[in-house]
Amino acid sequence: MEGFSSLSKIRAALKNEELTLPDLVADYLGRIEEHQELHAFLEVFSDEAQSAALIIQKKISAGTSGKLAGMVIGIKDNICYKDHKVSASSRILENYISPYSATVVDRLLAEDAIIIGRLNCDEFAMGASNESSYYGPVRNYADISKVSGGSSGGAAVAVQADLCLATLGTDTGGSVRQPASFCGVVGLKPTYGRVSRHGIISYASSFDQVGPITQTVEDAALLLEVIAGCDEYDSTASNKSVPLYSHIKPLKVKKKIAYLSDALDSEGLDAEVKAAFERSIARLRAEGHIVEAVSFGLLEYVVPTYYILTMAEASSNLARYDGVHYGFRSPGSIDLETTYKRSRSEGFGAEVKRRIILGTFVLSAGYYDAYYAKAQKVRRLIRERTDEILTKFDFIMLPTAPTPAFSIGEGSDDPVVNYLADIFTVQASLAGIPAISLPAGNNKAGLPLGIQFLGKRFEEGDLLSFSENIEELLKV
Ligand code: GLN
């Protein structure tokens, strides 16, 4: 069977009876089986997906199906799904079964999506290569010696390798956009508060957002429409009404786009990524869009600010994994103190421990003002400067990542070097604005590259409409 790139194509094939939903699910299950070397899935819900396919096929035939009927989707392993395991790719939650579903899961199911499995990621979504997963890395389908990106690595590779049509990841500082760029697919981080975080395993609560990874902008828009909106279980989910994003048209309106000159001059920007970025600018200009250089002026502060704040929030969020409440308890637990100490020492991986320790440090009495409080102030400056640029321009354009996918095991031993790889994604996270990564061709070695557009708060409709208009233009 030919792979399908969008739900509308699947729906057309179902409608004229070229395809049945059980056959489509069987085909995806076959591909997942065939591509186990990618290690994208931690668990496949084969039986359930097959039974759901039979039920939803009947609804389609009867004309009573939901908006996502025909969409086979995978979810990152930090999104709770009632009566299913969820581990955040950590040992500490190994074999933990969620007693409830995330709001986004309920919304997918209510619209007849089929959830086919849970996807590998960095442990507690901390990382940018999927190598911190307790269960091992995900491999890039373009070259299996390369990383998938992260933390939603399984979610990006599953779409790249056509193991399902779409996936949901989470993005705290780039985890939907950066793996999407490493895998040549579309990744959208919505505005903070656009999508409920209820049932998402928290990493840094003032940053975390769920976002779709898809082959097309059209499907990203449809998924956002389904998962967005207020939620009585998450007071940070905005009660702004949800536009019908799936009805947006790829309007041929000319836009004003700022690219950050500091980003293009930044150290460590790969030459081919830079060339792809410049090529994209030229193509946008040739289409009549106005693309101008702007100096952001705060680029060197984005990574330290992001890491101080997210580590602080993580140290608090991860206090709940104590060997008593959830998941893993060390066999060496003798009393309360050894239960805490040993379960946490053995249950968490090195990166997670590093972040808990640093996060605790920046919140500690003597250092709170010097680090945490200062980082909050710098976050405000970054947000204000970003908003200021967006009062003069429709979008900000950046490479999604400074390099293409690197080799598995090649990441530096110095965590600071690894953190700097997030330099282009964390600005949107600190500012709480929406951002999308679109495929922008491959480098000479055949590895995908991505371009990112940042939009105004809650203006996903505009960002998606523009993205749909230019997605073919950016591909080579
Ligand atoms: N790489 C970033 C980090 O490690 C982003 C992760 C994310 O968005 N979940 O924090």
Side-chain angles (χ1 to χ4, degrees):
M1 191 181 72
E2 267 297 291
F4 288 94
S5 59
S6 67
L7 182 60
S8 57
K9 293 200 172 127
I10 290 175
R11 290 291 279 262
L14 288 167
K15 193 164 176 213
N16 62 26
E17 294 176 7
E18 268 166 46
L19 176 74
T20 69
L21 198 45
D23 285 348
L24 180 69
V25 167
D27 192 64
Y28 283 131
L29 290 171
R31 287 188 61 80
I32 294 171
E33 180 75 29
E34 212 177 295
H35 290 291
Q36 288 190 39
E37 80 287 357
L38 299 173
H39 203 207
F41 281 87
L42 292 179
E43 188 179 354
V44 184
F45 309 140
S46 321
D47 295 346
E48 273 175 69
Q50 282 165 318
S51 339
L54 291 171
I55 296 168
I56 296 166
Q57 176 68 58
K58 283 193 190 128
K59 287 195 188 178
I60 293 174
S61 309
T64 57
S65 61
K67 285 182 194 175
L68 298 183
M71 185 175 270
V72 177
I73 190 163
I75 54 173
K76 184 176 179 180
D77 186 37
N78 62 352
I79 302 178
C80 295
Y81 183 7
K82 189 174 167 40
D83 300 331
H84 292 74
K85 284 185 191 170
V86 61
S87 78
S89 289
S90 179
R91 185 183 190 199
I92 211 155
L93 284 174
E94 196 173 13
N95 298 322
Y96 174 73
I97 294 178
S98 179
Y100 69 102
S101 285
T103 299
V104 292
V105 166
D106 283 336
R107 290 183 181 171
L108 292 180
L109 295 174
E111 292 295 345
D112 290 330
I114 295 177
I115 300 181
I116 198 163
R118 69 186 163 98
L119 296 154
N120 201 350
C121 58
D122 277 297
E123 186 177 3
F124 283 99
M126 296 175 186
S129 66
N130 216 115
E131 293 173 289
S132 78
S133 168
Y134 174 64
Y135 306 97
V138 177
R139 293 177 180 278
N140 196 305
Y141 188 51
D143 174 347
I144 61 165
S145 70
K146 304 290 178 193
V147 300
S148 54
S151 65
S152 313
V157 168
V159 176
Q160 177 193 27
D162 202 19
L163 309 183
C164 53
L165 181 66
T167 56
L168 287 188
T170 60
D171 190 311
T172 303
S175 280
V176 159
R177 293 162 283 155
Q178 183 259 21
S181 107
F182 279 14
C183 295
V185 293
V186 175
L188 171 71
K189 180 197 90 75
T191 304
Y192 181 78
R194 181 67 296 186
V195 179
S196 165
R197 292 180 295 109
H198 173 68
I200 308 305
I201 295 181
S202 300
Y203 161 15
S205 307
S206 77
F207 294 78
D208 298 343
Q209 268 297 281
V210 179
I213 298 181
T214 53
Q215 290 190 41
T216 58
V217 174
E218 174 191 327
D219 280 349
L222 174 62
L223 275 167
L224 182 65
E225 175 178 312
V226 169
I227 62 175
C230 61
D231 180 11
E232 59 175 323
Y233 296 114
D234 176 6
S235 60
T236 65
S238 166
N239 49 22
K240 272 188 199 303
S241 65
V242 178
L244 292 173
Y245 299 116
S246 65
H247 292 200
I248 53 149
K249 296 276 173 294
L251 291 178
K252 304 248 177 271
V253 179
K254 303 305 170 211
K255 293 290 185 185
K256 222 177 146 196
I257 303 154
Y259 73 87
L260 305 183
S261 50
D262 349 26
L264 272 202
D265 299 337
S266 86
E267 241 179 86
L269 180 62
D270 172 271
E272 286 184 86
V273 172
K274 187 170 178 177
F277 189 73
E278 286 168 339
R279 184 177 65 220
S280 304
I281 294 178
R283 288 185 187 172
L284 289 168
R285 284 185 176 145
E287 286 290 298
H289 300 288
I290 296 167
V291 189
E292 286 173 8
V294 167
S295 165
F296 173 47
L298 297 169
L299 195 64
E300 64 187 296
Y301 301 110
V302 296
V303 169
T305 306
Y306 167 80
Y307 275 98
I308 289 171
L309 296 175
T310 54
M311 287 181 187
E313 293 186 27
S315 71
S316 159
N317 275 326
L318 272 62
R320 72 192 67 166
Y321 306 106
D322 54 10
V324 178
H325 291 92
Y326 308 96
F328 172 80
R329 176 177 300 171
S330 166
S333 306
I334 299 161
D335 51 19
L336 190 63
E337 191 165 330
T338 54
T339 302
Y340 289 167
K341 281 191 179 159
R342 292 187 187 168
S343 302
R344 285 170 71 80
S345 301
E346 294 159 27
F348 289 133
E351 184 58 32
V352 174
K353 283 186 221 172
R354 175 181 299 122
R355 295 189 189 202
I356 292 173
I357 292 167
L358 284 169
T360 308
F361 171 77
V362 300
L363 289 173
S364 61
Y367 297 97
Y368 184 95
D369 286 338
Y371 293 100
Y372 182 73
K374 190 174 274 176
Q376 290 283 30
K377 290 179 189 157
V378 181
R379 181 180 197 179
R380 170 179 280 258
L381 293 178
I382 292 167
R383 179 185 163 122
E384 286 173 355
R385 175 72 187 122
T386 304
D387 287 350
E388 188 188 330
I389 297 173
L390 287 170
T391 55
K392 300 196 192 93
F393 293 87
D394 297 301
F395 309 113
I396 295 171
M397 180 179 176
L398 282 166
T400 309
T403 65
F406 43 89
S407 296
I408 293 177
E410 190 195 273
S412 170
D413 291 337
D414 179 354
V416 175
V417 173
N418 295 332
Y419 300 161
L420 281 170
D422 299 328
I423 185 152
F424 301 137
T425 45
V426 295
Q427 181 186 355
S429 311
L430 287 157
I433 56 175
I436 191 165
S437 177
L438 299 174
N442 296 338
N443 71 1
K444 290 198 190 80
L447 294 173
L449 305 172
I451 302 282
Q452 192 189 187
F453 293 90
L454 285 55
K456 296 181 179 128
R457 211 161 281 117
F458 290 103
E459 305 257 329
E460 281 84 352
D462 205 27
L463 185 62
L464 288 162
S465 156
F466 170 72
S467 300
E468 208 173 327
N469 185 14
I470 59 154
E471 67 180 325
E472 288 307 317
L473 183 76
L474 296 190
K475 287 183 188 164
V476 166

